[in-house]
Amino acid sequence: MAEISHSNVNNPAPDYTLVIFGASGDLTQRKLIPAVFSLFRQNLLPPGFRLIGYARSEMTDQQFRTRLTESLTEHCPDCSSENPAWKKFIDCISYCPGQYDSPDNFAQLAQRIHSSGSANVLFYLSTPPSVFVPIIQGLADSGLSKPPQNGFARIIIEKPFGRDLASAQELNQHIRRAFREEQIFRIDHYLGKETVQNLLVFRFANSIFEPIWNNKYIDHVQITVAETVDVAGRGSYYDQSGALRDMLQNHMMHLLCLVAMEPPHSLKADAIRDEKVQVLRSLQPLTPESVDSSLIRAQYSAGKVKGHHVPGYLELEDVPNDSKTETFAAIKMFIDNWRWSEVPFYLRTGKTLPARVTEIGIHFKSVPHVLFNLPDAPASPLPPNVLTLRIQPNEGMSLRFQVKVPGAADDIQPLTMNFGYADAFGDKPPEAYERLILEAAEGDATLFTRSDEVETAWEFFAPVLQCCNQNNSKPLPSYPAGSWGPAAGDELIERDGREWYLTRRPVSPKAVESL
Ligand code: BG6
């Protein structure tokens, strides 16, 4: 990883061309172009930077630029297409229409790249996974996957990376026939989030947490990724994926690894990724029997989210009306190593939940002997300390602890100490894609997933996926949109005498807009 405290301004990548496959798609307009434009505005692109969009739709350079200009303000609220910077930026963008399996079209692309001035190239596969293999093949056959002398040819691959262990292994084999591992950047945009990167800083740039970061002091860990959005408009993709493949196997496993990993010996990509893989290898394997008691899946039915009616998942046009795809998943996992033995990790994620919130809760053990009681619950144990890492929104951290209420009585009360990024640093954190594109252009793979990481995560989920397939004849529990998921999702943790916990945090005015 480029050193966290350093700005890349002083160390820009050499001139290169970014080629986006799937350039007419939603991700390009919604995330990639605003991210690259933002890099341009911060002077983080080299002077000879060029962007070529590649997709099947027939369009001229000018039509492509007009399309991007029209969508800019919608996806980048603080951008204006009237901005002189945009007018300058758009000049470096061109478009190359082509099929994903046509040698002629790849030859045309090669010509475009060569005439763009720089031989360095960063390919971005932002297409449906069904065309990953033909594109990779096309790049290999046209010679584009081969780095030029003293230069680079790198490839960023969007998720989903496979849909199970076998397909991920197959995809890895295909890519490795064309690219060496150091040329490959499997993207997971969660790793580009500031708060996710801060997990490493929090854990390894402070000395006070490490001594208590283990099963002696930690009772359990909760990771919640709740979304208010439904899957309208993405049903055909989502129905093949579901919460397990869309969120749990990738984004949430990265969060878990960063919380649970051992200190790496350096910030080098492989040092960090080695430690993450160790966590995945230490996950207690699930068996068909344990899946039943450790995993809850459910699907949303019609309801209201933030006052708006949301049709049920099965009512969506592009979803089969007998679909058994889960839109909510909760799982209990263990990590079998000295640090985490016997500490349950509870993970849950869902669509159409009442709030958009991603939090990691580190729940410490209760005090061993109670000297004080809460005035309104004299016989209860004291609420334990909870350290919450707020990934989004209202990015920050809080720590719940007990304080004495001023006065003659020995009354105590749990309070929360709060740190908010917006209060400390002002601006909203940069978009994950900005950092990731920059890191790939610099050849730093720390924030990308290595092949063994992706395969080990799939390996863990293999029995889970197998059980889901076998149980496909059984009805899937449902939960109304706007609720916190099915009752079984709460029971998963409550039967262990615990409960889901999200911080009731003071929201700073600067953070409100991102809620
Ligand atoms: C994507 C998933 O990878 O992440 C989406 O495909 C999900 O279904 C999204 O909504 C969540 O990302 P974020 O950054 O909004 O938490």
Side-chain angles (χ1 to χ4, degrees):
M1 179 158 47
E3 278 183 38
I4 287 173
S5 61
H6 284 187
S7 150
N8 292 314
V9 182
N10 299 325
N11 188 22
D15 285 349
Y16 67 96
T17 302
L18 173 64
V19 177
I20 302 180
F21 289 98
S24 57
D26 177 58
L27 184 72
T28 303
Q29 292 175 41
R30 209 161 37 82
K31 295 285 184 190
L32 304 184
I33 294 295
V36 181
F37 179 44
S38 172
L39 294 177
F40 177 79
R41 288 198 295 178
Q42 297 168 68
N43 278 331
L44 292 173
L45 296 178
F49 173 82
R50 295 281 173 274
L51 189 155
I52 301 176
Y54 186 106
R56 286 182 283 221
S57 322
E58 279 298 331
M59 261 187 286
T60 61
D61 288 348
Q62 198 43 50
Q63 284 166 328
F64 184 55
R65 290 174 183 163
T66 305
R67 182 193 268 225
L68 297 181
T69 304
E70 282 166 4
S71 70
L72 179 72
T73 35
E74 186 189 338
H75 301 301
C76 177
D78 58 341
C79 299
S80 156
S81 50
E82 293 308 313
N83 183 328
W86 174 256
K87 295 195 165 135
K88 206 165 158 208
F89 173 67
I90 200 94
D91 273 350
C92 72
I93 300 183
S94 61
Y95 183 76
C96 182
Q99 298 300 316
Y100 295 126
D101 56 357
S102 156
D104 289 348
N105 293 157
F106 274 83
Q108 283 153 9
L109 174 65
Q111 220 167 25
R112 283 260 191 152
I113 294 171
H114 295 140
S115 63
S116 75
S118 162
N120 296 321
V121 62
L122 179 59
F123 300 106
Y124 197 121
L125 266 55
S126 166
T127 60
S130 53
V131 292
F132 284 173
V133 171
I135 295 175
I136 292 162
Q137 192 61 47
L139 292 175
D141 294 345
S142 58
L144 282 169
S145 62
K146 209 165 161 248
Q149 211 173 9
N150 301 325
F152 64 79
R154 301 187 181 123
I155 183 165
I156 301 179
I157 302 173
E158 257 304 329
K159 69 179 264 279
F161 198 93
R163 49 175 291 104
D164 54 20
L165 178 59
S167 54
Q169 284 171 330
E170 203 179 311
L171 184 53
N172 270 330
Q173 280 164 12
H174 275 292
I175 304 175
R176 278 204 225 94
R177 273 185 223 131
F179 294 90
R180 293 192 315 273
E181 183 64 31
E182 63 267 25
Q183 296 175 273
I184 307 169
F185 294 77
R186 298 170 194 80
I187 200 165
D188 183 304
H189 77 280
Y190 263 57
L191 292 179
K193 291 182 191 277
E194 283 291 331
T195 42
V196 174
Q197 290 162 39
N198 188 51
L199 289 171
L200 283 181
V201 178
F202 178 76
R203 288 196 55 205
F204 305 128
N206 295 296
S207 63
I208 60 169
F209 302 109
E210 177 57 18
I212 54 170
W213 209 258
N214 55 51
N215 54 7
K216 198 159 173 219
Y217 295 96
I218 293 177
D219 174 73
H220 74 282
V221 176
Q222 299 186 9
I223 304 181
T224 295
V225 181
E227 296 189 279
T228 48
V229 291
D230 61 5
V231 294
R234 300 175 71 215
S236 47
Y237 152 74
Y238 194 86
D239 201 58
Q240 297 302 309
S241 181
L244 278 175
R245 291 184 169 94
D246 188 51
M247 300 295 286
L248 254 179
Q249 185 272 346
N250 34 69
H251 302 325
M252 297 185 76
M253 296 312 274
H254 282 297
L255 298 181
L256 176 125
C257 286
L258 291 168
V259 168
M261 68 191 260
E262 294 302 315
H265 66 80
S266 78
L267 278 186
K268 291 218 159 50
D270 279 336
I272 293 178
R273 298 190 298 179
D274 285 349
E275 297 303 340
K276 288 171 72 192
V277 173
Q278 284 307 327
V279 175
L280 295 170
R281 292 206 178 112
S282 312
L283 288 173
Q284 192 174 95
L286 292 172
T287 58
E289 299 72 48
S290 63
V291 172
D292 268 350
S293 57
S294 310
L295 172 74
I296 306 298
R297 297 189 310 133
Q299 201 177 63
Y300 67 81
S301 54
K304 270 191 171 176
V305 178
K306 293 183 169 173
H308 296 288
H309 174 76
V310 175
Y313 181 71
L314 295 182
E315 294 169 46
L316 297 180
E317 240 174 44
D318 40 6
V319 167
N321 57 14
D322 58 351
S323 166
K324 295 278 168 33
T325 300
E326 74 286 341
T327 59
F328 174 97
I331 191 166
K332 175 173 153 184
M333 308 162 80
F334 287 95
I335 299 172
D336 283 344
N337 62 18
W338 276 47
R339 188 188 284 272
W340 295 114
S341 177
E342 310 283 324
V343 177
F345 282 70
Y346 300 95
L347 279 61
R348 67 173 166 167
T349 183
K351 301 278 185 201
T352 71
L353 301 187
R356 174 175 180 257
V357 51
T358 297
E359 284 191 3
I360 301 173
I362 313 292
H363 291 243
F364 290 91
K365 292 193 170 164
S366 300
V367 291
H369 175 61
V370 179
L371 295 173
F372 307 93
N373 290 111
L374 295 179
D376 50 356
S380 320
L382 292 174
N385 300 121
V386 181
L387 174 69
T388 305
L389 306 163
R390 298 196 310 268
I391 304 297
Q392 65 186 24
N394 193 17
E395 291 79 0
M397 288 171 211
S398 18
L399 178 65
R400 181 175 79 177
F401 58 101
Q402 315 299 333
V403 288
K404 178 181 179 304
V405 179
D410 273 341
D411 286 352
I412 64 169
Q413 184 184 317
L415 278 186
T416 302
M417 190 160 69
N418 188 55
F419 153 71
Y421 271 78
D423 297 325
F425 301 111
D427 284 352
K428 275 207 301 189
E431 263 291 329
Y433 282 94
E434 290 178 30
R435 177 75 189 258
L436 293 171
I437 291 170
L438 204 57
E439 298 277 315
E442 290 177 0
D444 190 332
T446 312
L447 300 178
F448 296 84
T449 317
R450 206 169 57 188
S451 60
D452 53 347
E453 216 175 334
V454 80
E455 289 181 15
T456 316
W458 279 124
E459 208 171 318
F460 171 78
F461 279 99
V464 178
L465 298 174
Q466 197 186 340
C467 276
C468 299
N469 281 346
Q470 281 162 0
N471 290 346
N472 241 356
S473 51
K474 293 193 203 156
L476 195 61
S478 68
Y479 61 97
S483 70
W484 280 104
D490 293 341
E491 282 154 23
L492 176 79
I493 187 165
E494 285 169 4
R495 64 171 180 247
D496 295 342
R498 303 176 173 112
E499 58 182 18
W500 292 114
Y501 172 85
L502 293 171
T503 44
R504 308 267 180 280
R505 69 266 179 196
V507 178
S508 88
K510 284 179 189 144
V512 165
E513 63 205 51
S514 65
L515 280 177

